[in-house]
Amino acid sequence: MKARASLGGRGLHRRRLVQGAAGIAVSFALTPLAAQVMAQTATLTPLPGSMNTYRRLQGWLQVGADGLVTIFSGKVELGQGIATALIQIVADELDVPMDRVRLVSGDTARSPNEGVTAGSLSIEQSGVALRHAAAEARALLIAAARERLGNRLPAEAILGTADGFVTAPGGERMAYGELASSARLERDITTVPRPKPVAARTLIGRPVERIDIPGKVTGAAMYVQDIRLPGMLHGRVVRPPSPRARLISLDESSARALPGVVSIVRDGSFIAVAAEREEQAIAAATALRSSARWDEKATLPAADATLFSGMKALRSEDTVVSRKTDGAALARATRQVQAEYTRAFQIHASIGPSCAVAQWEAGKLTVWSHVQGPFQQRADLAMTFGLPAADVRVIHRDGAGCYGHNGADDVGLDAALLARTTGARPVRLQWSREDEFQWEPCGSAMVIGMRAALDADGQVVDWGHDVWSHTHSMRPGDPDGDNLLASWHLATPRRESPARNLPQPAGGSDRNAIPLYDFANQTVTNHLIPEMPVRVSALRTLGAYANVFALESFMDELALVAGADPVAFRLRHMKDPRARAVIEKVVAMAGWKPGAAPTTSGGISRGYGLAFAKYKNLAVYTAVIAQVSVERATGVVKVPRAWCAADAGMIINPDGFANQMEGGMIQSASWTLLEAAPYDRTRMLARAWSDYPILRFSDVPRIQIELIDRPEEPPKGVGEGTQGPMAAAIGNAFAHATGVRLRHLPLTAARVKAALA
Amino acid sequence: MNLDVNGQQRSIDAAPQTPLLNVLRHDLGLNGAKYGCGEGQCGTCTVLVNGAAIRSCVTPIGSLGNARITTLEGLGNLERPHTLQKAFITEQAAQCGYCISGMIMTASALLAKTRNPDDAAIRAALDGNLCRCGTHNRIVRAVQRAAKEMA
Ligand code: FES
Ligand code: FES
């Protein structure tokens, strides 16, 4: 590996995002940039990335008299390394050391509203905007230097920039800080100054150390969980025992008498308690729980295989999202193949339960939060409390990885409801592990029906893909409903927004349902089931995980029918050269041999499987090969090794890229081999890790990753590229190893054992 | 009640059944040990007690007597990071990082007993520590690197 660019300077000093008390003390009045830079979009030319809606340069980037560059992003750090990548982009474009760039992100009073940090869009949206902003600022600083030098500078002289200075041919240098006041940075972005050509880049494309890792490995106050404000109380919630339960009675007296208890909130079926110490809040919550009487209802669906036939029987809104017709090709069909695949409800299962700190001052609410969408959480908080959005401020802090819409938004409302009863004393509230498992939204169960027709040459001439699913996005920020959990439990309950499917081209349930392969005929249909008996929302990749599993498993099934090698079969249906390149690359990496036989020894069968996807059909190209071993007696499947080749256009930080791809593969292996949310007809049943096991160190695959860099192509998101291909590669490897096709996720030992019996 | 934390005597005003994790975080303002489950099932709260890795979320302070307690902060800091902390930075062995304190503390107990653990020994030692971001292989590489540097 290439040497990593160091951040220079003084060892491991805390930088930028590590704000602790100082960051928290920033007042509302300081820079209400979000207000200043609101766009007047109507007739303007489109700008790259998120600049379309925020056109003021200083809304993205400011240069201080001290030469420090402050950049503003609506995208937030989720452990994916985005903060580092954004700083890296600006430092490169502006020729300033990385440790002179500060990032303000996810503060509704200071940052641009760039929507939710999801869908692997941060580099495409915020990164591209900041790159242009930095290019513009650089040009303006050069212009200011030219003005300052006046006629001492020959007209044809070219000024450069380096290390935070504008440099003139005679060796003269002017620091950005000195030029900041005369450079006309307060204007709309023109994009006339173009970003640097590839050859002039110094940081983009090089592995750079993440700015947040030193603090995270030494115990700095990095997380929302680490916030400690003066007078801060600790809170806990007492949730209903099941999703639709209603509170009948509650005796608060014994909890009220416990040491440290400051406030108990009971509003409808919402119960919470604040105490001086966290363990006191936990003790009081336990007392409240034991005195609460509930009315429970059996509203959950079947937990066995009838779940899926039941889903298909529910009312659905059906949309054909892709159709191609070619009668001549269809007439060549000689064989029809079909198969149905399913996926269980699955849980985000963050390692750190959701947490928020809330404080009310003079009727205004501040929430520190690890949400993906601070502006969206603010919208729902304002809706719940009947406040104007301007009276609610959400400030992002890092949390444990969330992998989509988990409890992070909900806990902000819990803390705010509790803090409303504690005067100006802020309340920190962290959910228990059980709260998290019981109440966070699941990734939806899915049924996917695949069908195809082959011609006599084994070429696909017709293709069908039907997805039945609940929605994959019930995030806050929808004006037609309130999507914060506690709001549904209040005495005057709020209603959740209607279920919607995110539209193509990105898609929601149908994400990656449209094949990238060239088929003459195809029909892809999304069946959105509006009813939601199990709470669902966005889990990393939305529907793509299961759609790619189905599509790429089915490609292998068809290859078998056609008597073709799975790699050759894919390549002969694929024109996109970048797709072909990642497939060919991973084949070379793993030493894939067409027709290689599986092996069995000592009761263990081994095989290989390949799968491919271009995430959302818009982002990173990913091809994965997995090796699996199947212990036939127990049904235990392991993935000892996996290989991945990926192409996301221009690479910003190759090390961060690889880290995300590998993390996604391991998470996907865990989903694919182990994970299904347990429930009965009334209750969700996961309370502890022992109820919802995830992959552990001994079972984690050894992984090799190679990246194809295309510096002239726009950078694409990488965080969700591998989950679908990894699942399908495992499924295909299982089929190769055993000769048995498993079409139901997860491939648990019990299911495998039954299939092999 | 007195506790010996990171080489200092700290006097604590909390009930003896209070979990050590709460005292570290809320009384002593230490961020390293983290709440992940409170039931001994995830390892995010791992600290050393007399050199052994324990789950601080299920360890009442009343059971500790004058044992030596070491947290992530006791290993090293930004200015003088411990070999393990440096190795985690060099290997960029974190995504969200929430699990990492527990990983480093567990690894530090391992390396104190075993000079050059092989891959399997490191994985076995860390098997009770959960990571949801999929950082496992980097974590193993960081521990291997530290082991080499400490040998
Ligand atoms: S928090 Fe102690 S083991 Fe999970
Ligand atoms: S790095 Fe996020 S849980 Fe391990």
Side-chain angles (χ1 to χ4, degrees):
Chain A
M1 181 184 286
K2 281 187 270 184
R4 260 188 214 102
S6 150
L7 289 171
R10 304 154 292 145
L12 309 177
H13 286 276
R14 280 211 248 159
R15 296 182 183 87
R16 289 168 285 255
L17 286 182
V18 196
Q19 288 167 338
I24 289 160
V26 170
S27 83
F28 268 89
L30 192 61
T31 31
L33 270 167
Q36 283 173 28
V37 300
M38 272 306 287
Q40 61 287 62
T41 40
T43 57
L44 302 174
T45 45
L47 294 179
S50 303
M51 285 190 310
N52 239 351
T53 36
Y54 286 86
R55 290 173 172 250
R56 294 298 285 176
L57 175 57
Q58 77 271 30
W60 292 100
L61 187 149
Q62 296 175 2
V63 182
D66 52 5
L68 291 180
V69 176
T70 306
I71 58 174
F72 302 86
S73 172
K75 300 296 182 183
V76 297
E77 181 62 48
L78 303 170
Q80 82 284 42
I82 189 65
T84 306
L86 295 178
I87 288 171
Q88 185 183 1
I89 287 168
V90 168
D92 191 333
E93 200 58 51
L94 200 50
D95 283 324
V96 67
M98 281 183 66
D99 62 0
R100 312 274 296 160
V101 183
R102 306 282 184 273
L103 172 65
V104 175
S105 76
D107 178 343
T108 59
R110 302 183 74 198
S111 314
N113 179 357
E114 293 190 84
V116 178
T117 304
S120 304
L121 289 167
S122 298
I123 292 290
E124 288 170 50
Q125 295 176 342
S126 207
V128 168
L130 283 166
R131 191 152 74 100
H132 281 86
E136 193 112 5
R138 181 172 171 275
L140 292 167
L141 288 162
I142 289 175
R146 195 176 286 282
E147 235 164 65
R148 165 125 10 138
L149 292 170
N151 45 23
R152 280 196 289 141
L153 190 73
E156 70 285 359
I158 292 174
L159 298 181
T161 49
D163 208 26
F165 291 85
V166 177
T167 55
E172 197 168 345
R173 309 198 312 164
M174 279 150 288
Y176 288 172
E178 294 167 36
L179 296 167
S181 60
S182 57
R184 294 182 189 85
L185 297 170
E186 297 188 3
R187 69 167 204 194
D188 280 4
I189 289 168
T190 62
T191 71
V192 172
R194 300 308 298 167
K196 285 179 179 175
V198 174
R201 289 179 195 152
T202 53
L203 286 167
I204 291 176
R206 302 204 15 225
V208 159
E209 288 191 350
R210 284 249 309 265
I211 60 166
D212 52 336
I213 289 182
K216 287 178 176 174
V217 302
T218 53
M222 302 294 289
Y223 299 92
V224 69
Q225 285 87 353
D226 302 332
I227 291 176
R228 298 179 186 85
L229 300 180
M232 189 175 81
L233 297 165
H234 295 270
R236 275 287 170 126
V237 276
V238 179
R239 292 269 183 235
S242 52
R244 310 286 165 178
R246 287 285 168 251
L247 183 64
I248 299 169
S249 69
L250 177 73
D251 177 6
E252 299 172 22
S253 57
S254 57
R256 227 171 254 297
L258 289 173
V261 171
V262 173
S263 176
I264 294 173
V265 174
R266 177 195 169 174
D267 185 341
S269 295
F270 175 77
I271 306 169
V273 54
E276 297 289 344
R277 299 180 58 91
E278 192 171 25
E279 69 273 11
Q280 293 169 336
I282 293 170
T286 306
L288 287 165
R289 187 170 291 113
S290 66
S291 85
R293 298 287 165 268
W294 304 89
D295 177 24
E296 296 190 64
K297 289 200 175 62
T299 58
L300 296 178
D304 59 16
T306 64
L307 166 70
F308 302 106
S309 49
M311 283 175 70
K312 286 170 73 176
L314 291 173
R315 184 180 75 80
S316 65
E317 295 165 10
D318 303 342
T319 316
V320 174
V321 295
S322 172
R323 173 166 281 152
K324 280 201 249 170
T325 47
D326 175 344
L330 202 55
R332 291 199 304 275
T334 56
R335 276 166 296 181
Q336 307 284 337
V337 185
Q338 59 183 36
E340 187 169 276
Y341 301 82
T342 63
R343 174 230 186 159
F345 289 104
Q346 294 176 316
I347 307 181
H348 303 76
S350 174
I351 290 296
S354 296
C355 182
V357 178
Q359 183 170 30
W360 289 84
E361 283 166 308
K364 295 186 178 190
L365 171 65
T366 304
V367 175
W368 288 269
S369 169
H370 56 100
V371 292
Q372 289 176 284
F375 288 88
Q376 289 65 31
Q377 187 191 33
R378 179 179 72 163
D380 279 28
L381 288 168
M383 196 165 10
T384 310
F385 290 111
L387 290 172
D391 287 354
V392 180
R393 182 183 186 186
V394 173
I395 302 172
H396 181 265
R397 284 286 177 279
D398 291 11
C402 62
Y403 327 109
H405 177 196
N406 69 350
D409 290 277
D410 300 321
V411 74
L413 176 57
D414 295 343
L417 285 165
L418 199 45
R420 208 165 45 157
T421 66
T422 60
R425 293 186 76 177
V427 175
R428 173 192 183 276
L429 195 155
Q430 184 166 21
W431 280 6
S432 68
R433 170 54 49 199
E434 179 176 332
D435 293 335
E436 190 81 23
F437 271 137
Q438 292 265 298
W439 290 97
E440 65 156 305
C442 293
S444 180
M446 295 168 72
V447 186
I448 298 163
M450 305 293 307
R451 57 171 185 77
L454 299 174
D455 67 12
D457 300 331
Q459 205 64 9
V460 174
V461 291
D462 189 20
W463 180 267
H465 185 138
D466 284 79
V467 189
W468 288 266
S469 176
H470 305 287
T471 178
H472 290 258
S473 186
M474 288 297 295
R475 290 183 184 276
D478 186 320
D480 294 333
D482 195 333
N483 289 338
L484 300 176
L485 173 63
S487 77
W488 312 331
H489 295 159
L490 300 177
T492 313
R494 315 252 339 153
R495 286 183 71 95
E496 64 193 351
S497 66
R500 307 178 206 275
N501 190 39
L502 294 175
Q504 290 287 346
S509 309
D510 50 340
R511 182 165 290 182
N512 277 95
I514 302 175
L516 206 68
Y517 299 104
D518 297 290
F519 301 137
N521 290 280
Q522 67 185 33
T523 307
V524 180
T525 309
N526 188 52
H527 307 266
L528 173 69
I529 305 167
E531 194 185 314
M532 288 172 278
V534 173
R535 188 182 185 203
V536 290
S537 191
L539 172 62
R540 203 171 181 191
T541 79
L542 312 188
Y545 165 67
N547 282 320
V548 173
F549 172 72
L551 192 163
E552 286 289 305
S553 294
F554 197 53
M555 283 299 279
D556 261 37
E557 298 205 51
L558 294 174
L560 194 65
V561 171
D565 171 64
V567 172
F569 186 73
R570 281 176 176 76
L571 291 176
R572 74 187 199 211
H573 287 94
M574 176 63 78
K575 290 205 193 83
D576 186 325
R578 291 172 69 181
R580 297 177 67 91
V582 292
I583 293 171
E584 280 160 357
K585 180 152 202 123
V586 81
V587 160
M589 286 165 66
W592 177 277
K593 288 192 192 62
T599 61
T600 297
S601 65
I604 297 191
S605 300
R606 290 188 178 76
Y608 292 83
L610 172 138
F612 160 82
K614 177 184 185 185
Y615 182 54
K616 295 188 286 190
N617 291 350
L618 296 169
V620 59
Y621 293 83
T622 309
V624 169
I625 290 176
Q627 177 200 46
V628 306
S629 66
V630 184
E631 193 175 45
R632 304 189 75 100
T634 60
V636 171
V637 180
K638 295 193 177 180
V639 185
R641 298 191 65 185
W643 298 259
C644 167
D647 165 5
M650 175 202 306
I651 296 176
I652 307 295
N653 185 348
D655 191 60
F657 186 174
N659 203 357
Q660 284 282 295
M661 300 306 273
E662 173 159 341
M665 291 167 79
I666 292 171
Q667 191 172 61
S668 175
S670 184
W671 293 350
T672 302
L673 297 176
L674 301 172
E675 299 184 30
Y679 56 91
D680 61 23
R681 296 312 284 253
T682 304
R683 296 184 170 187
M684 302 302 291
L685 297 177
R687 296 175 183 282
W689 285 111
S690 44
D691 304 319
Y692 193 83
I694 62 171
L695 208 64
R696 291 166 183 267
F697 272 90
S698 343
D699 295 330
V700 157
R702 315 305 192 261
I703 290 171
Q704 194 186 330
I705 292 175
E706 287 193 29
L707 309 176
I708 298 175
D709 190 10
R710 299 193 188 273
E712 304 289 356
E713 295 286 341
K716 294 292 179 182
V718 303
E720 298 165 294
T722 51
Q723 283 83 352
M726 183 70 171
I730 292 171
N732 289 338
F734 179 88
H736 180 233
T738 63
V740 175
R741 173 61 58 176
L742 283 185
R743 302 190 183 92
H744 307 290
L745 292 168
L747 318 184
T748 55
R751 205 169 253 168
V752 168
K753 207 173 149 183
L756 296 182
Chain B
M1 173 169 304
N2 278 328
L3 287 180
D4 176 344
V5 179
N6 296 335
Q8 286 182 326
Q9 284 295 320
R10 307 295 297 262
S11 102
I12 307 295
D13 183 18
Q17 70 273 20
T18 308
L20 173 61
L21 174 63
N22 294 35
V23 168
L24 295 172
R25 292 194 60 85
H26 302 322
D27 296 81
L28 302 180
L30 296 168
N31 300 311
K34 289 181 175 59
Y35 171 80
C37 68
E39 309 171 301
Q41 292 192 4
C42 75
T44 59
C45 65
T46 306
V47 300
L48 304 182
V49 170
N50 292 332
I54 61 107
R55 308 290 203 221
S56 65
C57 68
V58 289
T59 305
I61 51 170
S63 70
L64 289 165
N66 47 20
R68 277 177 300 108
I69 300 159
T70 310
T71 72
L72 184 68
E73 293 86 346
L75 289 189
N77 53 35
L78 288 168
E79 281 69 32
R80 297 169 59 87
H82 184 271
T83 311
L84 267 164
Q85 290 165 322
K86 275 194 284 195
F88 272 69
I89 295 168
T90 307
E91 294 294 340
Q92 293 285 285
Q95 288 184 57
C96 79
Y98 200 87
C99 67
I100 295 297
S101 172
M103 299 293 175
I104 292 178
M105 299 317 290
T106 307
S108 121
L110 170 71
L111 296 187
K113 285 197 312 255
T114 317
R115 272 173 71 84
N116 245 321
D118 61 12
D119 183 88
I122 295 172
R123 285 176 197 266
L126 292 172
D127 222 34
N129 289 62
L130 302 180
C131 173
R132 187 58 161 163
C133 294
T135 315
H136 306 73
N137 293 328
R138 286 185 180 228
I139 292 169
V140 172
R141 285 205 295 275
V143 176
Q144 280 165 336
R145 172 182 289 272
K148 267 195 213 96
E149 281 169 20
M150 287 161 74

